Amino acid sequence: MVARREWPVDIHPLPPLLHNQPQLIAGEVRRLAVELLASYDAVAVGYADCGTYGALDAVCDELGLKRLPGLHCYDLYDGEARLAARLEAEPGTYLLTDFLVRSFERTVVRELGLDRYPELHDDYFRHYTRVVWLAQEPDAELRTLAQQVAERLRLPLTVVPTGTGRLEAAMADLLSSVISG
Amino acid sequence: MTSSPEEILRGLFDETLVGNAPRVLELTEEGLALGMEPQTLLFEALIPSLEEVGARFERGDFFVPEMLIAGRAMAGAMERLRPLLAETGVETVGKFVMGTVKGDVHDIGKNLVNIMLEGAGFEVIDLGVQVAPEKFVSAIEEHHPDIVGFSAFLTTTMPMFKANMNALEKAGLRDSVVVMVGGAPVTQEYADAVGADGYAADASATVKKAKALLHEKRAKVTA
Ligand code: B12
């Protein structure tokens, strides 16, 4: 996206698995941002609140940074209101993104210990009724993988093609506010 | 194989810590066969072990799966001990109605809290997940608990605490029951803002806080 839009931006990622320990996100963002502020004109944060429950906003305020909008990553694909409606309609919804579909074994199965303790399956997923894949760039391979994930969770799969338009718009807004501000 | 009571207690502690449920059950049976009191097994091995699990989780040495398998091991032993504890005629510390709020299906934390409350002598009535305000109200009317607990994990479901409080007020139940709230996103400030009586960050803190709140409540009634 950055390359296609020719944005003058370098991306410095943090490990996605931090999402499973969201209490560490704000500190890690702070550490990296302080480091980058020394060598860049501007730094923006490519996270939503992501389970930091306001701690990330405190870091942004402290360092004068801006972040992507939303409560979590899923909002950036589906839109906050649409996603909230989806979860309200069926609270037992388990969400997937392309990233989660591709990395499911590592980011979910292994992290939740389901590889070592398959008997925990029901402790985690007893109350879930469906899997909703927010499909950004669905292709045949991802479709097969998403189906496999749903089968592994023993839940029906709904595919919601979201594209990456909302994320791209949010990124564009973030960049223009950082560059103009 | 015969073990000494000390060996049983140490074994129970260690095997609960690593979540070896079958072994925990075996050791529980062995202890009982040796004539050990159910309370001894509970207070000198099982509960301290789950407290250690909580401490390791806090420190980041344990993650959710380790916590869950330890909780399962302890729950297995509790199944065995529950009828015996009831027989000994020890009075329950208090009655606790617990549920995850409407719209939320995260329940791991709540379930762990329940195990610890039960271990500490509370009678726990678990309403499960996605519990609507009306359901809390009718459960309170039915069971007359000392404490009701609301658990929430999503930013979008935390506002249900306030909705539950309003429902209790409307039903005229607010003064008859102590309200505790918890869950990963909840803080003491948030608990204060919704008008809850207590908040706790983890399962052992919940037990302590619940006991303290009950003590206060009973002191008020007798005063
Ligand atoms: C395990 C987990 C899951 C499991 C839940 C399984 C289950 N049956 O509960 C699964 C994988 C299924 C899941 C699903 C989802 N999850 Co989730 N999940 C987590 C995770 C990693 C751990 C939560 C947990 O169980 N912790 C372990 C327990 C022991 O700790 P605890 O919950 O804090 O409980 C303790 C205390 O809070 C307290 N306590 C708890 N309840 C109560 C009640 C009272 C009265 C008291 C006094 C105390 C108390 O005592 C407990 C024991 O010590 C967190 C991230 C994190 N590390 O917090 C995300 C997290 C909570 N999930 C999140 C999200 C977004 C989701 C999903 C939407 C993701 C998706 N892909 O669909 C769905 C939710 C669907 C839904 N409709 O609810 C976000 C929430 C973000 C937000 N802003 O709202 C988090 C923060 C992850 C993140 N960084 O984005 N999740």
Side-chain angles (χ1 to χ4, degrees), chain A residues 19-20 50 74 91 95 123-124 128, chain B residues 106-107 113 151 153 155 183 201 203:
Chain A
H19 279 83
N20 288 338
C50 286
Y74 314 106
L95 299 166
D123 288 283
Y124 287 116
Y128 288 82
Chain B
H106 283 89
D107 63 356
V113 171
S151 189
F153 296 85
T155 318

Side-chain angles (χ1 to χ4, degrees), chain A residues 16-23 25 47 49-54 70-75 83 87-88 90-97 100 108 111-112 114 120-128 130 132 153, chain B residues 54 57-58 63-65 67-68 96-100 103-114 116-117 129-130 147-158 161 179-186 198-207 209-210:
Chain A
L17 284 179
L18 275 180
H19 279 83
N20 288 338
Q21 291 170 275
Q23 70 281 8
I25 290 177
Y47 267 95
D49 177 68
C50 286
T52 69
Y53 305 118
L71 290 177
H72 28 65
C73 322
Y74 314 106
D75 286 339
L83 185 63
L87 290 177
E88 198 179 324
E90 201 162 334
T93 297
Y94 190 74
L95 299 166
L96 293 173
T97 58
L100 282 175
V108 181
E111 282 290 300
L112 296 181
L114 289 169
L120 293 183
H121 182 274
D122 283 353
D123 288 283
Y124 287 116
F125 292 104
R126 186 183 297 129
H127 302 294
Y128 288 82
R130 65 166 179 177
V132 170
L153 296 178
Chain B
F57 185 74
E58 269 314 294
F63 294 104
V64 180
M67 192 125 170
L68 268 178
F96 205 118
V97 161
M98 177 74 111
T100 297
D104 207 324
V105 297
H106 283 89
D107 63 356
I108 293 172
K110 167 186 74 71
N111 296 344
L112 279 167
V113 171
N114 288 349
M116 286 297 268
L117 282 171
V129 300
Q130 287 210 64
I147 308 184
V148 59
F150 308 142
S151 189
F153 296 85
L154 299 168
T155 318
T156 44
T157 55
M158 283 164 73
F161 288 166
V179 176
M180 289 189 73
V181 295
V186 185
Y199 153 80
D202 61 40
S204 15
T206 304
V207 170
K209 186 77 194 173

Side-chain angles (χ1 to χ4, degrees), chain B residues 59-138:
Chain B
R59 288 203 300 271
D61 295 341
F62 270 16
F63 294 104
V64 180
E66 287 79 22
M67 192 125 170
L68 268 178
I69 55 160
R72 278 171 77 103
M74 161 123 176
M78 272 310 286
E79 286 283 296
R80 178 71 179 88
L81 297 178
R82 194 178 294 122
L84 303 175
L85 290 165
E87 268 170 34
T88 58
V90 187
E91 255 188 69
T92 60
V93 178
K95 215 188 247 189
F96 205 118
V97 161
M98 177 74 111
T100 297
V101 300
K102 187 173 163 191
D104 207 324
V105 297
H106 283 89
D107 63 356
I108 293 172
K110 167 186 74 71
N111 296 344
L112 279 167
V113 171
N114 288 349
I115 296 173
M116 286 297 268
L117 282 171
E118 232 194 299
F122 281 88
E123 179 188 348
V124 178
I125 296 152
D126 183 5
L127 304 180
V129 300
Q130 287 210 64
V131 181
E134 323 64 90
K135 204 162 155 202
F136 276 112
V137 166
S138 57

Side-chain angles (χ1 to χ4, degrees), chain A residues 8-10 33 36-37 39-44 65 175 177-181:
Chain A
V9 168
D10 291 335
L36 296 175
L37 280 167
S39 46
Y40 284 90
D41 295 333
V43 172
L65 306 177
L175 291 184
S177 75
V178 164
I179 289 163
S180 68

Side-chain angles (χ1 to χ4, degrees), chain A residues 126-154:
Chain A
R126 186 183 297 129
H127 302 294
Y128 288 82
T129 50
R130 65 166 179 177
V131 172
V132 170
W133 171 28
L134 306 176
Q136 297 131 248
E137 289 165 347
D139 57 23
E141 189 202 346
L142 273 180
R143 274 179 205 280
T144 311
L145 286 174
Q147 195 55 50
Q148 283 167 1
V149 168
E151 277 160 24
R152 195 166 201 303
L153 296 178
R154 300 169 215 150

